[in-house]
Amino acid sequence: MSQADHVLRRGALRRGDSGPRVSALRDLLLRAGVDVPGAPRPGGAGPDGTGPDGTGPDGTEELDTFGTALEQAVRAFQQARGLRADGVVGRQTSRALDGARWRLGDRVLRYVPGHLLHGDDVVALQSRLLSLGLLDDRRDGRYGPRTEAGVQELQRSCGTAADGVVGPATVDALRRLDRSVGGGDASALRDAERTAQARRRTGHVVLVHPAHGGDDPGALGHGLREADVVLDLAQRLEGRLAASGTAVVLSRGATQEPSAEDAADLADAVGADVVLALHCDALTPVRGSADPARLPASPARGVATFSWGSATSRSVEGARLAGLVHREVLARTGLADLRTHTWDTDVLRLTRMPAVRVELGYLTSPEDAAELADPAFRDRCAEALAAAVHRFFLEADQDVPTGLLPVVAAPSG
């Protein structure tokens, strides 16, 4: 079990938690180069004069307590990494912390099916392979079969054994080549070319990924479950896109709970042109302040859309699709505008095609929840999403103003 797995073995960490997992989190932040107030530094005093064990002269420093200072350090790390800066250490943040401790050359990299290595060293490797034209994928930070194929091609060109294992000799070859290669974002160029090819075809394929499902209800509020709301939205969207000749694949039914990796693999398998991940949001209270199953009303409300982006790169076509989705939803529903953002979250990072995550309202908002409970409102949301998908594949001279593209209604019955 990795240290990141240890941190999350009993669920997400947030302000108000305490215990050994919090101490492990502090260690992960330090290894990632984050300045953690009051945390001990290897072999000496802390930044404010604390001793090697992190306790100050008055004994008030608590290394196993998740307080405000630690939350601020987590938020700073999340913001720098393109993650959602909510101060909660969930799966995404924990994985990023675990990966941040690796630099290219620190360890031997190889493809192990079912146990993919991930980390900053893999991202650095993928960036260099992309610049050399040896990788046809984005920098997802996983040492998978496409990355292995790129390494093997590099090794063949250098006259070494093409075993796909990145050891000292392969790292040295990359460093020598770095001095002669540069310029451009190969990943962005590939994104644009994929969209151009899809635009020239008829019969597009859209993967719709309604979040959660199975035993995971997602966000809760005002009698609504996120998993139910987004599945209903997905089915309404499926009908509208199918009626206009677009093939739609849903990643789940009512009882399934596919992971982000499952959704990305399915998108590849069906040859999806775009991916839409549907979510609703909720303002979760600090642990211990309320029953998480009965979330209080909150002032937070509105729609936000996200495309893939990290500290070093982004999906240009994903950002364009996110903008179209966001504007259509605003024009057709009247939800509050929470803007478009980049986010280095799994379902966006792992998909090769343009992908958008849309957060359609807050279930903890009385106003948003009342709208989302209305079937007519869900129809308008589905129309907005369908219009955005259609516009994404139009040539510039064929596009229409936001909110005016007619959408074929789903067949009745």
Side-chain angles (χ1 to χ4, degrees):
M1 179 185 291
S2 70
Q3 193 170 13
D5 291 333
H6 169 73
V7 167
L8 284 185
R9 75 185 188 278
R10 285 172 29 225
L13 277 172
R14 52 171 55 87
R15 183 158 54 90
D17 285 337
S18 61
R21 293 197 302 147
V22 177
S23 300
L25 169 61
R26 287 181 180 273
D27 186 51
L28 280 172
L29 286 164
L30 283 173
R31 289 169 181 263
V34 179
D35 184 22
V36 185
R41 294 299 187 268
D48 53 3
T50 60
D53 63 352
T55 57
D58 60 356
T60 59
E61 188 67 34
E62 297 288 347
L63 294 186
D64 63 350
T65 299
F66 199 134
T68 302
L70 184 58
E71 182 184 54
Q72 291 172 346
V74 169
R75 287 180 185 272
F77 174 80
Q78 290 170 325
Q79 188 170 36
R81 291 279 164 158
L83 302 170
R84 193 173 191 178
D86 56 5
V88 177
V89 183
R91 182 173 179 272
Q92 296 287 325
T93 300
S94 179
R95 179 178 291 270
L97 282 166
D98 189 57
R101 59 196 174 107
W102 299 109
R103 298 293 177 268
L104 188 58
D106 285 354
R107 57 178 173 170
V108 173
L109 299 173
R110 56 168 55 88
Y111 170 46
V112 182
H115 300 279
L116 302 187
L117 294 175
H118 74 278
D120 283 12
D121 52 348
V122 181
V123 173
L125 170 66
Q126 291 174 330
S127 296
R128 295 175 189 185
L129 292 175
L130 276 166
S131 67
L132 292 166
L134 299 176
L135 184 64
D136 66 348
D137 210 349
R138 68 174 45 159
R139 286 161 281 204
D140 63 5
R142 300 188 305 169
Y143 197 94
R146 292 190 179 92
T147 303
E148 181 189 49
V151 169
Q152 289 171 334
E153 183 61 30
L154 170 71
Q155 291 169 330
R156 280 190 287 269
S157 68
C158 294
T160 60
D163 56 8
V165 177
V166 182
T170 302
V171 171
D172 187 54
L174 279 168
R175 287 171 177 157
R176 291 197 305 270
L177 288 169
D178 275 350
R179 291 189 284 270
S180 60
V181 177
D185 186 340
S187 183
L189 293 174
R190 287 188 175 90
D191 264 3
E193 180 55 26
R194 284 195 192 103
T195 302
Q197 291 177 4
R199 190 177 289 125
R200 293 191 287 267
R201 288 189 281 103
T202 57
H204 301 119
V205 180
V206 177
L207 179 86
V208 181
H209 178 51
H212 309 288
D215 294 330
D216 179 10
L220 305 170
H222 297 91
L224 298 176
R225 292 164 25 112
E226 179 183 7
D228 300 334
V229 172
V230 296
L231 179 60
D232 181 70
L233 283 169
Q235 292 167 338
R236 292 170 190 267
L237 174 60
E238 178 186 25
R240 281 160 177 77
L241 288 175
S244 62
T246 299
V248 180
V249 178
L250 301 188
S251 67
R252 71 170 178 91
T255 60
Q256 291 83 38
E257 186 186 341
S259 66
E261 291 86 350
D262 294 333
D265 290 343
L266 180 59
D268 267 346
V270 301
D273 296 301
V274 298
V275 173
L276 294 178
L278 306 183
H279 288 254
C280 297
D281 214 332
L283 190 64
T284 306
V286 174
R287 181 163 292 168
S289 65
D291 181 357
R294 302 182 64 182
L295 299 174
S298 73
R301 58 188 299 253
V303 58
T305 51
F306 302 86
S307 59
W308 178 74
S310 68
T312 58
S313 188
R314 60 192 283 264
S315 170
V316 175
E317 291 300 295
R320 186 168 74 85
L321 178 59
L324 290 170
V325 167
H326 196 77
R327 292 193 296 274
E328 289 290 344
V329 171
L330 289 177
R332 295 172 189 255
T333 68
L335 285 169
D337 183 3
L338 299 181
R339 304 178 183 259
T340 62
H341 312 268
T342 57
W343 192 358
D344 191 15
T345 191
D346 276 354
V347 75
L348 303 180
R349 175 172 52 86
L350 300 178
T351 47
R352 303 177 64 209
M353 60 292 297
V356 170
R357 172 170 171 155
V358 53
E359 299 274 358
L360 284 158
Y362 277 73
L363 297 186
T364 45
S365 160
E367 296 86 356
D368 284 1
E371 294 273 39
L372 287 165
D374 181 2
F377 180 82
R378 296 186 191 185
D379 277 338
R380 293 201 301 277
C381 289
E383 289 169 2
L385 295 169
V389 170
H390 290 322
R391 290 183 63 193
F392 182 72
F393 294 111
L394 292 176
E395 298 286 356
D397 58 355
Q398 298 175 317
D399 201 4
V400 297
T402 297
L404 298 184
L405 183 70
V407 176
V408 179
S412 60

